[in-house]
Amino acid sequence: MKKAIYIAFILGFLLSCNKKTKPEKTENKLTEIPTWKADLDTILEKKNPKNLDLSKHQLFIDTSRNSETFKRLINWKPNRMDNDAISYQEKEIAKKHKPIKIDLKEFPRHWISLKKLNNEFVVYEPCDGNTTAFEINESSVLFFYQLEPDVDLIHDLRKMTKNEISLKLRTVPQKVKTEETELTIKPTEFENVYLLNYSFGKWYVTPTEKVSEFDIVVNHCPKMKRMEFTRFDKN
């Protein structure tokens, strides 16, 4: 009798374990990807935009040198919202720091940021926002980041030559407690490529009039937001 009870116990235990370890059937469901993340065009090739269907998303390297993208970057200007935001912040900084005026002479005023792709410098035209750009005028430095603008006032001109500049700037305490920042632009060993060094970052840049010396990686998205291209060289 005891042996029968023991055998029944063992069988029950084994059946219980089998139920716990047996994998449950799951339904095969397709993972839904948000439309803005659906990068439909991932092959980056050198193409003339005249040969592309620009009514849909296109990711390509523009080598034409005369396309609308090149013209837009060379003639780029801030929009009204950018100007309003910059004007407001300039007034805020000027409450404590009176700006000085400098004579830029032949030094370039407008700069476009560059990236490296396969060890070559290119301009990137993003799907959303603007190509990061910079402007130096007689009294301030304007920073046009991809999605928003910023500004610092010029406090002191340390050095300026035909192709190099060093500035001390004043900003708002929200950015840095001392309200002091610095900016330099120096040429590199690469033709038409400069290094812009700011208190909060570094960028390779070129004067806007030299944009046509570089290819442009274009993330053209006329209908909806797409993922930005991120496969640039890290260094």
Side-chain angles (χ1 to χ4, degrees):
M1 183 68 178
K2 290 183 179 181
K3 186 176 181 180
I5 295 174
Y6 177 76
I7 292 173
F9 173 79
I10 294 298
L11 289 174
F13 176 78
L14 292 175
L15 288 172
S16 176
C17 289
N18 186 50
K19 288 181 181 180
K20 291 181 180 180
T21 57
K22 188 177 181 179
E24 296 181 0
K25 291 184 179 180
T26 57
E27 295 181 6
N28 293 325
K29 294 183 179 180
L30 294 174
T31 303
E32 294 184 2
I33 302 175
T35 304
W36 71 271
K37 286 188 176 182
D39 197 357
L40 302 181
D41 188 350
T42 59
I43 300 174
L44 192 59
E45 296 179 343
K46 293 184 178 182
K47 296 180 179 179
N48 189 318
K50 292 182 179 180
N51 300 324
L52 297 174
D53 180 3
L54 297 180
S55 66
K56 62 181 182 180
H57 177 233
Q58 300 283 0
L59 177 64
F60 64 100
I61 300 176
D62 187 347
T63 61
S64 66
R65 300 295 188 271
N66 59 2
S67 67
E68 290 301 318
T69 303
F70 274 98
K71 294 176 183 177
R72 183 170 60 253
L73 287 172
I74 293 172
N75 300 311
W76 179 87
K77 293 181 180 179
N79 59 42
R80 181 178 177 181
M81 291 184 64
D82 288 339
N83 285 329
D84 289 345
I86 289 167
S87 178
Y88 172 79
Q89 190 159 327
E90 283 179 332
K91 291 177 181 178
E92 288 298 304
I93 301 172
K95 289 179 181 179
K96 295 178 63 176
H97 305 287
K98 186 178 180 180
I100 67 168
K101 289 190 176 183
I102 62 174
D103 183 2
L104 290 168
K105 300 179 181 178
E106 298 180 5
F107 191 80
R109 296 180 175 223
H110 305 281
W111 300 81
I112 294 291
S113 63
L114 300 171
K115 293 183 179 293
K116 292 187 76 174
L117 179 66
N118 299 326
N119 210 33
E120 293 184 359
F121 287 99
V122 296
V123 179
Y124 178 55
E125 175 82 351
C127 165
D128 189 20
N130 305 303
T131 301
T132 298
F134 308 88
E135 178 182 325
I136 302 175
N137 58 43
E138 290 84 357
S139 59
S140 61
V141 178
L142 313 181
F143 306 84
F144 297 97
Y145 300 118
Q146 184 176 342
L147 298 175
E148 60 184 14
D150 196 8
V151 60
D152 286 352
L153 297 183
I154 296 175
H155 179 71
D156 183 33
L157 173 61
R158 290 179 168 178
K159 178 182 179 181
M160 186 176 67
T161 65
K162 186 178 180 180
N163 58 3
E164 182 177 345
I165 197 168
S166 177
L167 298 167
K168 288 185 66 176
L169 309 172
R170 290 293 182 266
T171 188
V172 290
Q174 290 87 343
K175 285 172 65 176
V176 58
K177 290 182 179 180
T178 61
E179 301 177 23
E180 298 178 359
T181 56
E182 297 182 1
L183 179 138
T184 61
I185 299 177
K186 297 180 180 181
T188 67
E189 67 270 30
F190 306 103
E191 187 176 4
N192 297 319
V193 177
Y194 295 73
L195 181 64
L196 186 150
N197 193 337
Y198 178 52
S199 296
F200 300 103
K202 295 181 181 180
W203 293 263
Y204 285 112
V205 295
T206 193
T208 52
E209 62 266 24
K210 297 295 183 180
V211 165
S212 58
E213 300 295 322
F214 304 88
D215 292 340
I216 303 178
V217 175
V218 181
N219 191 3
H220 177 74
C221 49
K223 295 181 179 179
M224 60 189 71
K225 184 177 178 181
R226 300 290 186 183
M227 290 184 69
E228 297 294 357
F229 181 79
T230 59
R231 300 194 300 273
F232 294 105
D233 299 352
K234 293 185 178 180
N235 296 321

